[in-house]
Structure formats: C-alpha cells, structure tokens
Amino acid sequence: EVQLQASGGGLVQAGGSLRLSCAASGFTFDDYVIGWFRQAPGKEREGVSCISSTDGRTYYADSVKGRFTISSDNAKNTVYLQMNSLKPEDTAVYYCAAGINLVPREPDFGFWGQGTLVTVSS
C-alpha cells in the first residue's frame, strides 16, 4: 500500500521556522520525484518545492526561493521541507506527493499524502 505521511505543521510567528517531513512507503522511493504542495484558504493548490530522489535535483516556486529548503534522506524514504523566514501568506495546508516531474504539475503526481496545517501569525 502506497503511503505518504506528512507531519511537522503547526503554529508559528512570522519570521519563524518549521520543518515538515514526508515519510513514504509502498513504492520504490528512488524512482520518484517528491513534491510539496500547499493550499491556502480560498485558493487553489500550488506547487512549492520538489526533489528528485534519483539525483537530488530540486525545484522551488519563486515565492519560497531563498527561504525554503527541500532535502531527501533516501535511506529513510523521507523528504524534508525546511521553512525559514515564514510569512503569514505561507499559511496553508501542506501536502506531499510522489510523481514523475520535477516541476510540480498536479497531474504528474499520482500518490498523495494527507495534509499538515501550517499557520503563520503576524
């Protein structure tokens, strides 16, 4: 059974940091791109960052470049999203997903985990 378990969300003040984790199981982790998406209240879901488990290439949305860092521990089948200098506009439910494209287009991501809520207070 394919599972993607996202965790690490919470409430943080603007300027603070959080680290999200995505633990994967039930598929060959090394063959996939793992991506983080987020959905803010009243908005469409958007791609935030992706990492290739094969070669470590990464992608970041412009809105998070320089503040977020994605990394992968292939031995643990886990991907992390370190989020620094958080802003109120980063408030969203964050989802991790497994797919085949380094650019986060939802149709290219077939396995999804449940979300974890990140709330950034001003």
Side-chain angles (χ1 to χ4, degrees):
E1 180 186 5
V2 173
Q3 287 192 335
L4 291 158
Q5 183 74 33
S7 62
L11 174 63
V12 64
Q13 288 189 331
S17 298
L18 281 174
R19 189 177 81 156
L20 305 183
S21 299
C22 175
S25 61
F27 61 97
T28 306
F29 185 81
D30 293 358
D31 289 346
Y32 284 85
V33 169
I34 304 298
W36 286 98
F37 296 75
R38 67 186 181 186
Q39 187 166 23
K43 294 188 177 181
E44 292 187 355
R45 191 157 56 186
E46 63 174 351
V48 175
S49 182
C50 296
I51 186 166
S52 167
S53 301
T54 303
D55 58 17
R57 289 178 299 140
T58 59
Y59 165 92
Y60 296 96
D62 288 343
S63 58
V64 306
K65 278 181 183 176
R67 300 188 299 122
F68 290 11
T69 302
I70 192 169
S71 61
S72 177
D73 184 339
N74 286 23
K76 295 182 178 180
N77 285 5
T78 300
V79 168
Y80 305 98
L81 186 68
Q82 178 67 43
M83 306 187 296
N84 298 330
S85 301
L86 282 162
K87 304 175 181 180
E89 51 263 44
D90 294 318
T91 294
V93 177
Y94 284 71
Y95 301 87
C96 63
I100 59 172
N101 196 336
L102 194 63
V103 177
R105 292 178 61 251
E106 288 195 31
D108 295 331
F109 286 77
F111 304 132
W112 290 80
Q114 90 297 349
T116 185
L117 177 63
V118 172
T119 304
V120 184
S121 63
S122 57

